[in-house]
Amino acid sequence: MTAEPDVLDEIGQLYMNELDKLPLPDLDRMIKQVTAAKDTAALYLNALQLTLHNRLGGQAQQLRQEAGKSTGTVRFEVDGYLVVADLPKRPEYNQVKLKEAVEALRKWGEDPENYVGIEIKVAESKYTAWPPGIRDLFEPARTLKTGKPSYKLEQIKSGVIPDAANDSHFGGGV
């Protein structure tokens, strides 16, 4: 192991305005350390949760069965601890079969929106490939939002600087 100071101690001692002044190699090193710590913490948390499941899962499942349910939360005491064991539902639906069911509701004279939420999605890759007339039809329904910005630092090897890529240089943009 290296003698580098713990990145959390470093960040704890720096004010935000001091972080703004750090050279990119320091920011790069700190980002890598925080990412590695986060990944390690996630692995440990998963291992600990698996240990709890191996130790307590049988009892939790038995209590669910006694309550007549296969999922949900049960509570029980073990060695002076209240254990709250949750097995959430994660239903998934086959989209083709859902569409068939919605069409069946319509044939029965029912309004499917009384039973299911209907959301129409447009893949951006399809939208940009549409002819202008079709795009114009959907334009009033379209709102373009942005996601959270992110940055990745890659150290340049051998003094070679890769070509920069900007979206405005693609797709015939100006």
Side-chain angles (χ1 to χ4, degrees):
M1 297 198 62
T2 62
E4 281 187 326
D6 184 6
V7 70
L8 297 178
D9 289 340
E10 277 187 318
I11 291 175
Q13 295 172 7
L14 294 174
Y15 295 102
M16 285 305 294
N17 61 353
E18 291 178 8
L19 284 173
D20 288 342
K21 297 174 187 172
L22 285 177
L24 285 179
D26 291 346
L27 289 173
D28 184 35
R29 176 182 51 77
M30 293 173 78
I31 289 168
K32 288 176 181 169
Q33 288 177 326
V34 168
T35 300
K38 180 179 156 188
D39 293 345
T40 300
L43 286 173
Y44 282 127
L45 183 58
N46 286 337
L48 293 168
Q49 287 293 325
L50 181 59
T51 299
L52 288 173
H53 177 67
N54 290 340
R55 189 176 294 177
L56 305 169
Q59 188 173 353
Q61 189 58 29
Q62 181 181 348
L63 289 171
R64 279 188 206 95
Q65 286 176 344
E66 290 171 5
K69 57 186 187 177
S70 59
T71 61
T73 303
V74 292
R75 291 170 172 77
F76 54 97
E77 189 178 328
V78 175
D79 298 333
Y81 286 90
L82 174 66
V83 176
V84 180
D86 186 29
L87 183 60
K89 290 181 183 179
R90 298 264 190 255
E92 292 183 7
Y93 292 91
N94 177 299
Q95 294 300 304
V96 172
K97 291 181 181 181
L98 273 179
K99 188 175 179 181
E100 291 169 359
V102 165
E103 289 306 315
L105 282 173
R106 282 193 179 109
K107 287 179 184 175
W108 296 351
E110 295 283 344
D111 180 0
E113 291 190 27
N114 290 334
Y115 302 96
V116 297
I118 299 177
E119 180 180 359
I120 300 170
K121 294 183 179 186
V122 177
E124 187 65 10
S125 59
K126 289 184 179 184
Y127 174 83
T128 58
W130 289 346
I134 301 292
R135 239 185 284 148
D136 291 345
L137 180 65
F138 283 82
E139 187 69 30
R142 183 174 185 261
T143 301
L144 184 62
K145 296 181 179 181
T146 61
K148 181 180 175 185
S150 66
Y151 301 88
K152 182 179 176 182
L153 298 172
E154 294 181 15
Q155 189 173 15
I156 298 170
K157 307 287 184 203
S158 307
V160 177
I161 300 174
D163 292 333
N166 293 312
D167 286 343
S168 62
H169 294 233
F170 294 97
V174 179

